[in-house]
Amino acid sequence: MVKTDVKEKRKKKKGEETSLSRYYSLFKAYGLPLLALLLAYLGFKLRNITSNYKTFLDPDTFYHYELYRLAIQEWLPKYFPLANPPTGLKISESLGLYTVQAAFYKLVSPLGYDVMGAFKLWPPFVGAMTIIAAYFLGKKLHSDWAGIWASAFMMFSYANFTKTMSGNNRGEGPFMMFFLYAVLFLLVYLDEKEWNWKKILGGALFLVTSVLYMGVWLGSQFGVGILLLFAAIHTVVLFIFGKTEELKTFVREFYPLYGLSLLLGLAITGTGFVKIKGFLVFSIEAFIGLAILAAIMLYGQRAGLNYSDKKHRFGVVAVVGVLGFVAAYFYLGPDLLKFLGSASQSNPLYQTVAELARTDWKTIASYYSVKSNDGFIFLLSLVGFVIVLARFVLKLFRGDLTGYKEVFIVSYYFGSLYLLLTAVRFVFQASGAILLLAGIAIGEVFLFVENMKESLTTKALYAVLLILLFLPLPVMGAQYSKTLATNTAKAQGSVPADWVNTLTWLKENSHPLDSATSWWDYGYWIESSLLSNRRSSTDGGHAYDRRYLLADFFSHYGNESEQDFEAWELNYLIVWQQDIYKFNAISYLGGAIDYYEYGHVPMFQLVPMQYVKYANESGKTVVYLKTAEGDRQPVMTVDLARGQVIQGRGDIPYVLYLFGNYGLLAYHKIAFSNFVRLAFHIPYSFEPWDAQKLFANFKPVHNDGGVSTYEFRPFAVYRIDRFENGTWKAFYSTMGGGKLPLGEQRLRLWISAFGRDVKDATLVFEAYNGTELIKREVLAENLNINHLNETPVEVSLFVPNATSYRFVLIQDGPVGVLNGEPRVDGRTANPSYILEEGQSGQLELKAAFRKDYDDVTLTLRASIVYYVAPNGKDIESDNFYLVPHQDIITYVPVKELSVKEGDNVITAQASMPSDVFDAYIEKLYQEYGKDKVVIVKKRVEPIFIAKKEYVIWEG
């Protein structure tokens, strides 16, 4: 009886464990995938919180939205007219990003999503699909538990979250999504040892997703490079450890598939869907080199190479590797260096871009945290990396053939860490590998429990306890991310209200062909169809050369600040007071300060009035600033409320501006710069009439809060003198005003020519009654004024009684803008370098004009932007500074034509002379020294020249 009871109890216990085992297996087989779907849904909801944002979170997204709208109509848009005026822009970004988003819109539009709705839906959708990819990839690389925890981390991780929130539509997010799926399908393909439908489907899907990840981001070289690195490492490791058969299998299965993906990507570059042709060529050449190395490994013994032990095999790899490195350095290196240079602070411009700053621990800890700045996820990924490395070594010694998974994750992690440490902008891109390894770290704990020799019930309890132990991580992380997203969604908009009002005014009060510029950060706002929909001289991704020139203008004054803005056909300049916080970068790029000052000396400091003290010393008024070191006198105090200028000892190298309720310290080198005067409406002139000239060329037309808009006039009268009783007396100035006297007059007009000379011009006087022209008189012909040494123009005229008057300057100037895709010999051309030196071709241009012109000359304008570095080219040197230049080298006449107002289609045969730039650059080397000249950009642009009327004065 007792034996029977014991038997029954054992049977019962065995039955319970069998039942529990079945439930546990069912949970892993079905419960975890459902949980992954739930995490993806939660991730989508979190990322979609910001979909109610008025505009977009990221300035670049404004530009991407415009190209996405074009892609809906054209699928593969090639040209964008609003950037880089007057020629527009050949789109250099990967068109795949916009084509894929346009296809997404076509799919979801039947569900009720409009163009904007689909655009805002896309990033959260990408985030959710990436979470699912993380689950399946983690499962493939390690275990179900690694997959579920990797997806849990990706659900809330701030590093991943920021680039997949609604309103942040960059290419990095879609790239990671497609890349993770490509790797997943590759592993499916490699895991299947026999050819079956899974292997074929896995290989096919790998090829499709490979092309997609190459096409959606210009930085997709990263994905191509990671797979190439994976192939190289795995090939070498298998060879060194004597796994010849495994190496043959890997070469036979992986090499053709990866090579085909490279060739497909290269073939599609012709359409513009993929834009990494140079790197794909480099990768194919490197892959061919790797294939040769693999062939040597597999068949070298037949040629007498000694593969008897690890040392000899390692020696073969070392010798071939060194030879390959030397070849790559001399032949392939430049392509690789170009890629790396774009992600580092390799020139003065990149030194000032926050996204390209080197990543420090504080940044890593803040992005890879569960909450706040704990850095827990990153630290967990390091644990996961050690585990993967240990598992890989153990597998090698056991002869396990699945080691390629560990090789991949190690390659992915190393590549991601390299990028992460290179620049802050790669915090997101590194999140793929880091979150996978964090998931693997926890997954390893679960595997340890599952492999224990305890009863199944005990192991199940341990698993439950582990879930409860780690559950707070995604719960707290999701709460933290939700708070961040909610606070962001509550904001009034990514574009400040003052800017919205300014750009709305610009849209309503300017010509559709007008252009405007500000500091480059705001270029995409100017171009956006949601805001002003006007051309912008420079923006976040284009016309980098013009940033130096704008910086030069903003940070200097007088002749030293003048650039030929009419070469850009600039119409409006927008200045924002908040740029005092960016002015170290602006001053550095403009050459007003050196590298040491850029990093150590603030250009502006706000000062509360309680820190300002007036004193009377020996009958003189002096101003002190209270500091921690005691009372100090600035170089000068400009009290705008009292209208006083007070000299100081210069105890601190700043000029103090007092605005009544606050003070502003401006570093002495930029204290009287154009930016200071235009942003804060300061009429003070450091040199006589300098401010009058500035505000004549830049006429204030709108002001909203801290954003001021100026109409740019290349030529403007800033002072008029009247000859009276034998002397010249000034009766008009820009800021003082003054009426034109009636009757016979002998006048002297002081014309400010900004950045370009007056050449062979005609000066005309016009008088109006209302809109009726009652008098028009030519005052001077063949007029010339050197913009660096201006002299007044003396005229005699009779001024009739009229309601308004104008002085008009007529001379050759650029008119019209390109407004459609330019072609050379039937192929889309780069409008800012439309013909190479020595090249000829049939031009097909679509150009828009404000009015009819009968005497327009189509020309090719060759120009160059460069800077001179008087103290040498070492941008890391404390005394490095630069002097920007923009020179127009020549105009090459192409065709005389007549045009109508609006769009015109123009065809012409054109030829560009050879040696235009080299000869000019050689002269620059001779003038400044070859070791001090840096060429920033060359341009060959189609420009239309006509007799142009410039209103230089009206009143």
Side-chain angles (χ1 to χ4, degrees):
M1 186 69 179
V2 174
K3 290 182 180 179
T4 304
D5 289 342
V6 170
K7 281 185 178 180
E8 290 299 323
K9 287 179 180 179
R10 286 178 178 173
K11 286 181 180 178
K12 186 175 182 182
K13 185 175 181 180
K14 186 177 180 180
E16 287 174 354
E17 291 201 350
T18 303
S19 177
L20 185 59
S21 176
R22 185 169 63 253
Y23 287 134
Y24 186 68
S25 298
L26 288 172
F27 173 70
K28 288 181 66 176
Y30 300 103
L32 290 184
L34 289 174
L35 185 57
L37 287 175
L38 176 61
L39 290 170
Y41 175 74
L42 292 175
F44 172 83
K45 295 292 287 185
L46 287 173
R47 287 159 173 77
N48 201 46
I49 289 173
T50 52
S51 62
N52 67 342
Y53 217 60
K54 288 187 177 179
T55 48
F56 305 122
L57 299 174
D58 178 69
D60 288 17
T61 300
F62 284 88
Y63 172 71
H64 295 318
Y65 177 68
E66 300 304 321
L67 297 197
Y68 153 77
R69 291 173 65 233
L70 287 175
I72 291 174
Q73 304 299 322
E74 305 172 18
W75 286 113
L76 292 168
K78 301 292 181 65
Y79 175 79
F80 184 61
L82 300 185
N84 200 29
T87 60
L89 176 79
K90 180 183 180 182
I91 300 169
S92 59
E93 288 76 16
S94 291
L95 300 181
L97 173 63
Y98 313 111
T99 304
V100 168
Q101 284 180 293
F104 180 74
Y105 163 72
K106 300 290 187 182
L107 288 174
V108 301
S109 57
L111 302 177
Y113 288 94
D114 59 10
V115 171
M116 176 63 80
F119 188 71
K120 289 190 172 183
L121 180 69
W122 171 249
F125 172 79
V126 167
M129 294 300 294
T130 308
I131 292 168
I132 294 172
Y135 166 71
F136 284 110
L137 191 54
K139 180 179 178 180
K140 267 288 181 187
L141 292 170
H142 187 271
S143 64
D144 298 88
W145 293 109
I148 201 65
W149 287 106
S151 62
F153 288 139
M154 192 163 282
M155 179 267 292
F156 72 84
S157 170
Y158 185 64
N160 185 274
F161 190 79
T162 51
K163 291 293 177 68
T164 50
M165 296 168 69
S166 182
N168 193 338
N169 290 51
R170 291 195 182 196
E172 291 101 317
F175 163 79
M176 182 181 291
M177 175 182 71
F178 288 125
F179 179 69
L180 293 184
Y181 278 108
V183 173
L184 175 64
F185 297 135
L186 175 63
L187 295 181
V188 170
Y189 168 82
L190 292 176
D191 277 353
E192 295 297 321
K193 303 309 175 187
E194 302 294 334
W195 284 96
N196 55 36
W197 69 269
K198 283 187 180 180
K199 193 175 189 69
I200 295 171
L201 183 61
L205 291 176
F206 168 75
L207 293 176
V208 172
T209 48
S210 291
V211 171
L212 288 172
Y213 85 65
M214 291 177 194
V216 294
W217 185 41
L218 205 56
S220 58
Q221 297 103 320
F222 176 60
V224 176
I226 289 296
L227 292 177
L228 185 60
L229 179 64
F230 157 66
I233 293 176
H234 194 52
T235 298
V236 169
V237 169
L238 288 176
F239 173 69
I240 290 175
F241 280 84
K243 305 289 183 180
T244 305
E245 291 304 315
E246 291 83 348
L247 178 57
K248 285 182 180 179
T249 301
F250 181 71
V251 169
R252 185 172 60 249
E253 294 194 345
F254 176 82
Y255 277 47
L257 189 67
Y258 178 65
L260 183 56
S261 75
L262 294 179
L263 292 174
L264 282 174
L266 184 62
I268 294 175
T269 57
T271 66
F273 187 91
V274 175
K275 283 285 185 77
I276 55 168
K277 182 178 181 180
F279 194 82
L280 284 173
V281 171
F282 161 78
S283 299
I284 290 171
E285 291 168 335
F287 186 58
I288 291 171
L290 180 60
I292 294 171
L293 174 60
I296 293 172
M297 292 173 177
L298 291 173
Y299 306 108
Q301 278 184 312
R302 298 179 184 179
L305 295 177
N306 187 350
Y307 292 171
S308 60
D309 54 36
K310 289 187 181 71
K311 289 183 179 179
H312 285 89
R313 291 192 294 270
F314 180 80
V316 171
V317 171
V319 170
V320 175
V322 168
L323 292 175
F325 176 80
V326 172
Y329 180 81
F330 285 103
Y331 179 58
L332 305 173
D335 288 317
L336 189 60
L337 292 177
K338 286 177 186 177
F339 167 62
L340 298 178
S342 66
S344 64
Q345 297 191 327
S346 54
N347 61 47
L349 185 62
Y350 288 153
Q351 280 180 315
T352 66
V353 178
E355 277 195 340
L356 297 181
R358 293 178 179 86
T359 312
D360 55 19
W361 168 248
K362 184 178 179 181
T363 302
I364 293 173
S366 63
Y367 276 88
Y368 292 103
S369 62
V370 176
K371 191 173 183 179
S372 189
N373 299 308
D374 52 58
F376 180 78
I377 297 176
F378 181 78
L379 297 175
L380 204 57
S381 76
L382 293 176
V383 175
F385 173 71
V386 172
I387 291 170
V388 166
L389 206 57
R391 286 170 64 89
F392 174 61
V393 173
L394 287 173
K395 282 187 174 184
L396 277 177
F397 285 106
R398 292 172 182 169
D400 193 329
L401 307 185
T402 61
Y404 58 80
K405 295 180 180 179
E406 283 75 19
V407 172
F408 168 76
I409 195 65
V410 167
S411 303
Y412 190 20
Y413 193 65
F414 267 127
S416 298
L417 282 187
Y418 173 76
L419 282 187
L420 176 63
L421 297 176
T422 299
V424 173
R425 67 176 298 186
F426 294 118
V427 166
F428 167 81
Q429 207 50 251
S431 68
I434 289 173
L435 299 179
L436 279 169
L437 276 166
I440 287 173
I442 297 182
E444 190 68 22
V445 180
F446 277 84
L447 284 188
F448 176 79
V449 169
E450 288 183 350
N451 293 328
M452 290 192 309
K453 294 182 179 180
E454 302 290 337
S455 69
L456 188 59
T457 303
T458 304
K459 289 193 287 187
L461 288 172
Y462 281 147
V464 172
L465 288 174
L466 285 174
I467 293 172
L468 294 175
L469 176 65
F470 291 113
L471 187 60
L473 297 179
V475 172
M476 289 190 302
Q479 290 174 341
Y480 183 62
S481 295
K482 182 181 180 182
T483 300
L484 291 174
T486 302
N487 290 338
T488 301
K490 288 179 180 177
Q492 292 300 307
S494 59
V495 185
D498 293 347
W499 268 96
V500 172
N501 296 337
T502 294
L503 296 176
T504 300
W505 177 90
L506 186 65
K507 187 173 188 176
E508 295 173 350
N509 293 275
S510 64
H511 193 280
L513 299 182
D514 277 347
S515 73
T517 198
S518 186
W519 190 232
W520 63 267
D521 294 88
Y522 321 117
Y524 287 144
W525 294 350
I526 294 170
E527 296 162 6
S528 173
S529 60
L530 303 173
L531 297 166
S532 69
N533 201 33
R534 294 295 180 262
R535 288 163 169 78
S536 177
S537 302
T538 181
D539 56 39
H542 313 107
Y544 283 10
D545 53 330
R546 292 176 177 176
R547 297 183 189 181
Y548 290 99
L549 309 175
L550 270 173
D552 177 68
F553 167 75
F554 277 136
S555 59
H556 290 94
Y557 65 90
N559 288 345
E560 191 177 359
S561 73
E562 293 190 16
Q563 296 289 348
D564 186 1
F565 286 158
E566 201 189 9
W568 313 348
E569 295 192 36
L570 179 66
N571 303 106
Y572 294 93
L573 179 76
I574 304 174
V575 188
W576 194 19
Q577 291 177 358
Q578 293 296 313
D579 282 341
I580 60 173
Y581 302 109
K582 299 180 179 180
F583 216 72
N584 273 57
I586 294 172
S587 302
Y588 174 57
L589 291 179
I593 60 174
D594 61 30
Y595 183 64
Y596 177 84
E597 291 168 307
Y598 162 65
H600 296 86
V601 181
M603 294 297 102
F604 292 99
Q605 298 179 64
L606 290 172
V607 179
M609 289 303 292
Q610 59 264 34
Y611 289 93
V612 178
K613 184 175 73 174
Y614 278 82
N616 189 303
E617 296 179 357
S618 302
K620 290 179 60 180
T621 299
V622 294
V623 175
Y624 287 97
L625 194 66
K626 298 176 185 178
T627 70
E629 293 78 25
D631 292 347
R632 296 288 186 267
Q633 288 187 23
V635 174
M636 181 186 297
T637 299
V638 181
D639 192 329
L640 296 166
R642 301 184 183 186
Q644 288 180 294
V645 177
I646 305 164
Q647 296 294 331
R649 285 196 308 260
D651 302 332
I652 54 174
Y654 288 86
V655 171
L656 175 61
Y657 286 98
L658 297 176
F659 294 90
N661 56 350
Y662 72 97
L664 183 68
L665 282 173
Y667 189 53
H668 69 105
K669 289 188 178 181
I670 54 90
F672 305 108
S673 63
N674 293 332
F675 171 80
V676 171
R677 290 182 293 181
L678 292 173
F680 296 95
H681 312 284
I682 297 174
Y684 181 79
S685 283
F686 186 68
E687 294 179 356
W689 296 97
D690 178 59
Q692 302 279 352
K693 294 170 66 176
L694 176 67
F695 285 99
N697 290 120
F698 295 89
K699 178 185 176 183
V701 290
H702 184 75
N703 182 63
D704 201 296
V707 183
S708 301
T709 305
Y710 295 88
E711 180 185 350
F712 172 62
R713 303 189 294 179
F715 310 107
V717 173
Y718 66 92
R719 170 183 169 186
I720 306 178
D721 299 340
R722 178 185 182 187
F723 192 73
E724 186 177 4
N725 298 325
T727 59
W728 290 101
K729 295 181 180 179
F731 70 88
Y732 170 84
S733 65
T734 302
M735 289 175 286
K739 292 185 177 181
L740 199 62
L742 300 179
E744 290 289 344
Q745 303 294 334
R746 183 181 172 190
L747 306 177
R748 193 162 60 178
L749 308 181
W750 298 76
I751 300 173
S752 175
F754 191 90
R756 62 171 297 207
D757 296 339
V758 174
K759 288 185 178 180
D760 300 323
T762 300
L763 180 62
V764 175
F765 170 70
E766 295 178 345
Y768 292 85
N769 273 333
T771 58
E772 181 186 358
L773 176 66
I774 62 171
K775 182 178 182 179
R776 190 174 192 273
E777 180 181 355
V778 175
L779 303 179
E781 294 183 299
N782 302 318
L783 182 64
N784 295 282
I785 299 174
N786 184 337
H787 78 279
L788 297 176
N789 185 25
E790 297 159 352
T791 55
V793 179
E794 187 176 328
V795 297
S796 296
L797 73 158
F798 179 83
V799 180
N801 189 10
T803 56
S804 62
Y805 309 95
R806 301 197 314 176
F807 289 111
V808 180
L809 197 68
I810 303 172
Q811 75 163 43
D812 286 345
V815 296
V817 296
L818 294 192
N819 205 34
E821 180 182 330
R823 292 177 173 270
V824 175
D825 295 332
R827 301 181 64 181
T828 303
N830 178 2
S832 62
Y833 206 95
I834 199 157
L835 286 180
E836 300 277 351
E837 292 176 275
Q839 181 186 0
S840 297
Q842 181 76 10
L843 304 185
E844 300 172 45
L845 307 174
K846 182 180 179 182
F849 297 86
R850 299 164 190 266
K851 64 176 187 177
D852 298 351
Y853 287 96
D854 293 327
D855 55 349
V856 174
T857 303
L858 169 60
T859 68
L860 298 181
R861 182 178 67 193
S863 63
I864 188 171
V865 173
Y866 62 96
Y867 68 76
V868 178
N871 294 333
K873 297 179 181 179
D874 182 5
I875 63 174
E876 300 290 340
S877 173
D878 280 349
N879 66 352
F880 171 83
Y881 79 98
L882 56 90
V883 182
H885 294 269
Q886 173 186 238
D887 294 353
I888 295 176
I889 300 174
T890 187
Y891 289 90
V892 179
V894 174
K895 185 178 183 180
E896 302 291 331
L897 55 131
S898 298
V899 296
K900 301 296 183 182
E901 179 182 355
D903 288 334
N904 295 253
V905 176
I906 297 164
T907 59
Q909 182 68 28
S911 297
M912 189 66 194
S914 59
D915 201 30
V916 171
F917 290 107
D918 288 344
Y920 193 82
I921 290 170
E922 188 57 39
K923 291 180 182 178
L924 295 178
Y925 289 159
Q926 293 175 6
E927 181 178 356
Y928 299 108
K930 188 173 182 178
D931 60 333
K932 296 180 180 179
V933 176
V934 175
I935 306 302
V936 177
K937 186 169 185 178
K938 304 172 187 175
R939 290 172 176 260
V940 177
E941 301 162 299
I943 301 296
F944 301 92
I945 303 296
K947 290 295 181 184
K948 188 174 178 180
E949 294 188 355
Y950 302 86
V951 178
I952 61 174
W953 182 89
E954 53 191 335

